[in-house]
Amino acid sequence: MSKKPILQAVGLTKSYGRVVALDGSDLELFPGEVLAVVGDNGAGKSTMIKCLSGAEVADEGQIIVDGQQVSFKRPQDGRHAGIETVYQTLAVAPALDIASNLFLGREMRKKGPLGSVFRMIDSSGMRKAAKEHIAALGIGTIQNITQAVETLSGGQRQAVAVARAAAFGQKVIILDEPTAALGVRESRQVLKLIESLRDRGMPVILISHNMPQVFEVADRIQVQRLGKRAAVVTPKSHSMNDVVAIMTGAMTVDKKDQALTSVR
Amino acid sequence: MSQDTATYDAAAEFQDRASISQKAQALLHKYPWLSSTMVLVVASIIFSFFNENFLTPSNFSLILQQVAIVGAVAAGQTLIILTAGIDLSCGAIAVFSSMTMAKLVQGTPGEGEPVGIAIWLAFPAGLLVGMLGGAINGFLVTKVKLPPFIVTLGTFNVFLALTLTLTKGTVPSIEMDPFLLTLGHYVNLGPFRVTTGVLFMFAMYMVLAFVLRYTSWGRHVYAVGDDIDAARLAGISVNRVLMSVYMVAGLTFALAAWIVIGRVTVASPNTGGDLNLDAITAVVIGGTSLFGGRGTIFGSLIGAIIVGVFRNGLTLAGVDLYYQLLAIGLLIIFAVSVDQWIRKARK
Ligand SMILES: Nc1ncnc2c1ncn2[C@@H]1O[C@H](COP(=O)(O)OP(=O)(O)OP(=O)(O)O)[C@@H](O)[C@H]1O
Ligand SMILES: [Mg+2]
């Protein structure tokens, strides 16, 4: 197999003042795969995906999308490149309703002169589409699409953020702990969603602390430690205990034993 | 399926068990203008008992005229407060714009005959000055990243100083250009007799309400005030939105200046003194949250009318000016308390 990565990071470095959050980390995401990124708290996982999505600008290193080097300056840049992200902080506007949040930053315009001249947004169209996206996710506890997001539970908010990414992701979907606040049933739904995204050929980066979930859906597992990539393994080649050992530095994996290329 | 329905019923029942105060909270949360509208209605009824002249078309026409200027400034102020900002310089921008228009039309008296420039140049120049003032505020907030309160406290003094420098302390009170006085004319609307300035203010509210409600820009204004980081991550150009808000607000302040000229028929550097705080008062009483992201533009119109109604009603009831101030002060504290109470429910 010699697939080319669809998204690649080389030597990403990012410091916040004296804190080196990311210390020359690499990452390759191959077409159609689910890449899990695991690591201790503060290992730099969120910082890395923020650099990949344009929410942060890396101090050093390159980001390559489809073989082309890019320089993302703002979250819009990542979005335009087809990379859709669910951030750990969710990034939803609490006072706005579910439909407005789903379409925030890319509102649908009304057809005809109402849209082109008066720039009116198509509220009913967006509500209808939002309903479909939420339904597609199979999270039935959201009853009313015009509800303000702040009236939702933490898990429901997470569902809205995931639905937004799933609806608009063109090339890559990045999920930073998408099941952290979810109940058992809702977690299952998100895992099923990840699998169906992969079946559609959409590559996914999944950050999670939940090892059983990671081992269930991931094709490859990238272990971050102290801002660096410690190893990339697969659920077949290594056990959960191995991965935890790599995370804590108790175990190292030889380069030749790592899963640095596509396994699908 | 039947299981799902059962969950919904349980959820509905769960919500039904919410107490009356929780329901009120939820209702006010959804319709932030509701409490101010209630205050307006109740206050009007009470005032009508004290003086039979209160609830008459002619008295309400008078209130509207008194409210037009503050209302117009409050419209722009609402935009800024929705983004979790504040503009303490709004009145100063309005006065500076009005002085610019007047001075340009009138020319500089002194040696010989003063030569003014044509109104079709002077008027847009005045509007431009308002937008420029807003742009300066916006620049300092977005690029220099200073808190809006401090920025506008500073520019308030700057614009005031510029106005005084421009006028050198004198009041240009010669006959104004007829176009500049347009908004002082009276029109009859059934039993009501109001100035065109009042109608112009209403039109400003209509336009801004439309833009806030029906365009992406409006959504983005709310989103930025609601959670600026979330808005940024959602791909909104936060700085561009803030900049445009301060500039549009500056324009509305300059348009308010036009109403000022029509009403007082002179452009005086002293008209804007109370305007800053009165406009903020109207916005706050109208239910817009000082923390941003919550409120409506029409709420501010109601807020401005409430202030007018209180002043007028208390005057007609023979209440001393000091107690009028007291009443407005209590009203502000009441409005902010309601806002806090509503917000607490949702945290
Ligand atoms: N905005 C910031 N300002 C300052 N320091 C930051 C900022 N964001 C992250 N850091 C620091 O960078 C390091 C890496 O943080 P990051 O959020 O990437 O970790 P993480 O692997 O996602 O952790 P977690 O599993 O807890 O989400 C931490 O030490 C954190 O304190
Ligand atoms: Mg994280």
Side-chain angles (χ1 to χ4, degrees):
Chain A
M1 280 265 206
S2 64
K3 275 193 194 168
K4 287 225 169 64
I6 188 156
L7 176 64
Q8 187 180 8
V10 185
L12 284 187
T13 301
K14 174 84 193 172
S15 309
Y16 296 102
R18 291 230 186 106
V19 182
V20 181
L22 208 53
D23 188 11
S25 186
D26 298 338
L27 176 143
E28 294 97 26
L29 177 70
F30 292 97
E33 76 168 350
V34 175
L35 175 72
V37 178
V38 300
D40 275 336
N41 293 122
K45 305 180 295 293
S46 297
T47 306
M48 179 157 68
I49 62 105
K50 279 185 195 157
C51 294
L52 293 177
S53 73
E56 296 275 9
V57 182
D59 304 331
E60 276 170 51
Q62 287 128 40
I63 297 168
I64 298 152
V65 179
D66 259 347
Q68 297 280 333
Q69 190 173 332
V70 294
S71 69
F72 295 156
K73 296 269 183 298
R74 306 167 302 166
Q76 291 94 304
D77 299 339
R79 271 187 163 195
H80 288 316
I83 299 170
E84 202 59 38
T85 311
V86 175
Y87 296 96
Q88 199 166 359
T89 52
L90 298 184
V92 287
L96 293 185
D97 64 31
I98 297 171
S100 305
N101 260 291
L102 271 185
F103 286 91
L104 194 56
R106 51 190 151 209
E107 288 79 6
M108 283 160 63
R109 288 253 187 86
K110 273 196 161 60
K111 296 210 170 54
L114 283 181
S116 56
V117 180
F118 294 102
R119 316 205 135 231
M120 277 179 83
I121 50 179
D122 182 4
S123 300
S124 64
M126 288 195 287
R127 276 200 291 275
K128 193 161 155 281
K131 217 175 239 163
E132 282 161 13
H133 290 311
I134 296 281
L137 203 54
I139 298 201
T141 56
I142 293 175
Q143 300 174 38
N144 184 357
I145 213 81
T146 59
Q147 236 174 314
V149 161
E150 65 198 335
T151 65
L152 299 176
S153 75
Q156 290 172 323
R157 280 181 214 196
Q158 207 152 38
V160 171
V162 172
R164 176 165 70 185
F168 292 100
Q170 295 292 321
K171 202 168 266 172
V172 174
I173 292 179
I174 301 175
L175 306 166
D176 193 351
E177 305 199 22
T179 60
L182 295 187
V184 177
R185 199 175 71 87
E186 284 79 8
S187 290
R188 288 248 68 81
Q189 295 292 352
V190 170
L191 293 184
K192 253 170 56 190
L193 170 82
I194 293 173
E195 276 166 356
S196 79
L197 287 171
R198 172 177 52 199
D199 294 344
R200 274 198 269 146
M202 177 73 69
V204 177
I205 297 177
L206 168 70
I207 295 177
S208 178
H209 287 290
N210 186 320
M211 283 300 159
Q213 287 181 7
V214 164
F215 271 71
E216 187 181 333
V217 295
D219 297 302
R220 299 188 304 134
I221 304 168
Q222 166 157 346
V223 188
Q224 288 295 118
R225 180 173 149 70
L226 305 175
K228 288 192 175 73
R229 176 161 80 179
V232 186
V233 299
T234 72
K236 295 196 186 76
S237 67
H238 289 74
S239 70
M240 288 190 207
N241 284 336
D242 292 340
V243 169
V244 173
I246 300 168
M247 257 163 63
T248 56
M251 180 178 165
T252 51
V253 185
D254 216 58
K255 266 254 150 50
K256 68 175 167 30
D257 296 328
Q258 294 191 22
L260 292 170
T261 54
S262 175
V263 296
R264 284 190 73 79
Chain B
M1 185 63 227
S2 66
Q3 198 192 343
D4 271 5
T5 333
T7 342
Y8 287 172
D9 289 350
E13 195 195 79
F14 180 65
Q15 278 168 356
D16 276 349
R17 265 187 271 144
S19 69
I20 299 213
S21 103
Q22 276 168 328
K23 276 185 191 161
Q25 228 166 2
L27 204 65
L28 288 176
H29 186 260
K30 195 155 184 206
Y31 306 105
W33 45 265
L34 208 60
S35 55
S36 51
T37 310
M38 260 150 40
V39 168
L40 180 59
V41 171
V42 172
S44 299
I45 292 171
I46 292 175
F47 287 136
S48 68
F49 285 126
F50 284 99
N51 193 313
E52 65 220 19
N53 288 332
F54 178 78
L55 263 188
T56 55
S58 65
N59 189 46
F60 257 89
S61 305
L62 184 70
I63 291 175
L64 285 178
Q65 277 156 49
Q66 287 163 347
V67 154
I69 296 165
V70 169
V73 175
Q77 184 70 254
T78 312
L79 291 178
I80 291 174
I81 292 183
L82 277 177
T83 67
I86 195 149
D87 193 343
L88 299 175
S89 71
C90 54
I93 291 182
V95 173
F96 187 44
S97 305
S98 71
M99 290 313 302
T100 308
M101 292 181 204
K103 266 285 174 188
L104 286 178
V105 165
Q106 184 195 324
T108 315
E111 311 101 54
E113 193 69 359
V115 187
I117 67 169
I119 182 65
W120 59 269
L121 274 176
F123 181 67
L127 299 186
L128 207 65
V129 161
M131 276 174 83
L132 218 60
I136 292 170
N137 285 337
F139 174 82
L140 292 171
V141 167
T142 57
K143 293 286 182 229
V144 191
K145 306 219 178 299
L146 300 175
F149 186 93
I150 303 298
V151 165
T152 54
L153 187 61
T155 53
F156 161 68
N157 287 291
V158 170
F159 295 135
L160 207 62
L162 287 176
T163 308
L164 293 174
T165 317
L166 193 69
T167 57
K168 305 208 174 55
T170 62
V171 181
S173 56
I174 59 141
E175 253 179 50
M176 199 69 66
D177 179 276
F179 177 78
L180 283 184
L181 298 177
T182 312
L183 296 183
H185 298 317
Y186 281 88
V187 281
N188 292 318
L189 292 172
F192 294 94
R193 185 172 153 77
V194 294
T195 54
T196 43
V198 171
L199 302 182
F200 187 73
M201 178 212 36
F202 281 140
M204 278 168 67
Y205 272 90
M206 302 282 205
V207 171
L208 287 178
F210 173 87
V211 171
L212 276 178
R213 190 166 166 70
Y214 293 110
T215 70
S216 300
W217 185 79
R219 293 263 158 117
H220 296 174
V221 169
Y222 278 93
V224 166
D226 200 7
D227 185 335
I228 192 163
D229 293 321
R232 195 179 82 87
L233 290 177
I236 294 172
S237 304
V238 170
N239 280 354
R240 208 183 296 168
V241 171
L242 284 174
M243 195 72 194
S244 63
V245 161
Y246 279 92
M247 286 175 72
V248 171
L251 178 65
T252 64
F253 303 152
L255 290 170
W258 192 20
I259 307 179
V260 174
I261 297 175
R263 180 162 169 78
V264 298
T265 66
V266 294
S268 155
N270 308 318
T271 30
D274 305 327
L275 215 47
N276 291 321
L277 292 181
D278 280 356
I280 295 170
T281 302
V283 176
V284 169
I285 290 178
T288 295
S289 171
L290 284 171
F291 299 96
R294 205 178 304 269
T296 58
I297 188 98
F298 282 123
S300 302
L301 179 58
I302 294 170
I305 295 176
I306 287 179
V307 174
V309 160
F310 264 72
R311 292 232 168 99
N312 175 283
L314 292 170
T315 309
L316 286 184
V319 176
D320 212 349
L321 180 68
Y322 309 127
Y323 293 110
Q324 294 185 23
L325 285 174
L326 183 72
I328 305 286
L330 293 178
L331 212 56
I332 296 173
I333 294 169
F334 170 75
V336 177
S337 314
V338 169
D339 177 46
Q340 277 290 17
W341 179 62
I342 298 169
R343 287 169 54 85
K344 210 158 62 198
R346 296 300 174 191
K347 280 296 151 189

